[in-house]
Amino acid sequence: MLPLTEIQQQTLHAAVDRIIPPDDYPGAWDAGIGDYLERQFEGDLAQELDLFTAGLEALEAEALARFNSRFVNLTVDQQDTVLAHIETGQVLTLWSIPAARFFELLVNTTAEGYYSEPEQGGNRAAVSWAMTGFEERV
């Protein structure tokens, strides 16, 4: 289980699905990004957990400040607007961490999980490999 509150997990789910949205293939969340991050927070990313949770809290506050609604309840265009402002550090709320640093971590870990070896928890059923035409070499 991810070491996140229910609201943080919902925010994370919505955010990663804006980074890699579902189309003909599953989006980031359905491809296992939550499982990937859970493993990473127990290992290589353990030192980044506080930054990550602070970023999710700030992302939620930013959505409320901009649109008076939780991030998960925004339209995809509104979610993209919030994320674009966070990416460039143009935030309306007080962040305890650099907004652009959180965005970078969110994007990088989402991409890592989506395109990783399925044994690492992401890329469930090798969906990204099917999407890109990559075939595992034995």
Side-chain angles (χ1 to χ4, degrees):
M1 181 130 224
L2 275 169
L4 304 174
T5 67
E6 182 67 27
I7 290 174
Q8 290 169 340
Q9 189 163 322
Q10 291 169 357
T11 302
L12 175 62
H13 179 161
V16 300
D17 273 353
R18 291 313 310 139
I19 294 166
I20 302 177
D23 52 19
D24 292 340
Y25 294 91
W29 191 260
D30 288 339
I33 298 308
D35 295 337
Y36 173 79
L37 287 173
E38 179 179 350
R39 288 185 185 189
Q40 294 304 307
F41 288 140
E42 292 171 354
D44 292 343
L45 288 180
Q47 72 282 0
E48 301 286 357
L49 181 58
D50 288 342
L51 183 142
F52 209 86
T53 56
L56 290 171
E57 291 292 325
L59 169 57
E60 192 65 30
E62 196 67 24
L64 287 167
R66 288 188 183 276
F67 296 106
N68 199 32
S69 182
R70 289 195 46 224
F71 186 78
V72 70
N73 295 329
L74 300 178
T75 67
V76 294
D77 288 340
Q78 290 171 326
Q79 288 175 342
D80 289 348
T81 296
V82 171
L83 290 171
H85 285 284
I86 291 170
E87 178 183 19
T88 60
Q90 299 175 358
V91 293
L92 300 176
T93 59
L94 180 62
W95 285 58
S96 63
I97 59 165
R101 171 69 180 113
F102 168 71
F103 184 83
E104 177 184 17
L105 181 63
L106 180 66
V107 169
N108 288 345
T109 56
T110 299
E112 288 167 8
Y114 196 79
Y115 294 104
S116 68
E117 291 277 344
E119 294 80 26
Q120 294 178 330
N123 195 12
R124 189 175 291 140
V127 297
S128 71
W129 293 354
M131 178 182 70
T132 61
F134 176 77
E135 293 180 8
E136 185 176 5
R137 310 261 186 239
V138 180

